[in-house]
Amino acid sequence: MEIYPAVDILEGRCVQLVQGRRDAATVYGDPLVWARRWLDQGADGIHVVNLDGAFGKAQRNADLIRRLASETETFIELGGGIRSLEDAAGWLDAGVDRVIVSTLAIREPEVVRNLADEFGSERVMVGIDARGGEVVIEGWERPAGNYLAWAERFESLGAGSLLYTNVDVEGLQRGIDIVPIEALLARVSVPVVVSGGISSVRDVCALREAGAAGAVLGSALYSGRIRLSEAMEAAHAKN
């Protein structure tokens, strides 16, 4: 299983939010410095979220993200504010290895197929943000249907991987809920990366044993609740 530290960017700074709320942001500084720090410690890649994009200003951090992609020479997956096929294609052409489409994929599912046909399914990840088993979109405000049904549909459309975020526990540093994760892993065959609530080595071990392909570490990593080195050791251990 792979570990991806989150580098969430808001107004050019690396931040962590609680429950996706902008007013609950903790600022950590230069995103490039943090990305390099995590890579120096052995991270498998970097999970970048363009929060300004998610809040409606898609191009605000574009130059910074391009620098991150070109200067780190590591695997980068990017989400946040990707609202069209052109947005996604632009990031892939700019050097991002994998784009994450969420609200766009719900609104226009055929975008998933189009991106997979043009760039290859391995570069297309669909974000499944769920609360209580329902996909939520538009800033986690609007329910959009059963998360398992959507996951199956996105797999059939050619998504190479899924990013599952349990909104109920995201940012709270209280641990994961393994039940919906196991249900998702049982329904799809594409790799699933898990985000939200991962706060301990026990969480990482549970995800690895369940068969998750990767885990995104965010708030708990930045607060020091979990160290990257111990998460990496747990993720790469043999079952």
Side-chain angles (χ1 to χ4, degrees), residues 78-238:
L78 171 73
I82 299 174
R83 299 288 187 248
S84 68
L85 178 66
E86 292 73 25
D87 285 346
W91 287 119
L92 291 169
D93 287 335
V96 169
D97 296 281
R98 182 161 68 194
V99 292
I100 306 162
V101 288
S102 301
T103 296
L104 174 63
I106 298 289
R107 288 176 175 165
E108 303 175 42
E110 282 300 317
V111 165
V112 177
R113 191 193 307 278
N114 293 337
L115 285 170
D117 287 346
E118 183 172 353
F119 293 97
S121 61
E122 72 280 357
R123 302 189 72 188
V124 183
M125 171 178 265
V126 177
I128 304 284
D129 302 335
R131 177 188 290 120
E134 285 271 304
V135 169
V136 285
I137 61 173
E138 298 174 4
W140 298 347
E141 293 295 327
R142 186 164 76 84
N146 180 270
Y147 81 112
L148 296 174
W150 274 113
E152 288 182 321
R153 185 173 182 188
F154 292 137
E155 181 177 27
S156 71
L157 287 167
S161 56
L162 301 174
L163 174 71
Y164 170 75
T165 302
N166 185 343
V167 174
D168 291 313
V169 300
E170 194 278 332
L172 299 179
Q173 302 183 51
R174 296 175 186 166
I176 61 171
D177 179 357
I178 197 65
V179 174
I181 297 166
E182 290 176 332
L184 176 58
L185 291 167
R187 289 284 283 272
V188 298
S189 59
V190 294
V192 175
V193 175
V194 177
S195 173
I198 303 165
S199 307
S200 66
V201 170
R202 184 174 64 251
D203 289 336
V204 175
C205 290
L207 291 174
R208 187 196 75 237
E209 291 165 4
V216 175
L217 300 185
S219 297
L221 181 62
Y222 283 86
S223 71
R225 193 178 185 94
I226 186 171
R227 294 193 305 272
L228 183 58
S229 58
E230 62 186 8
M232 297 287 295
E233 183 178 354
H236 295 169
K238 302 297 184 184

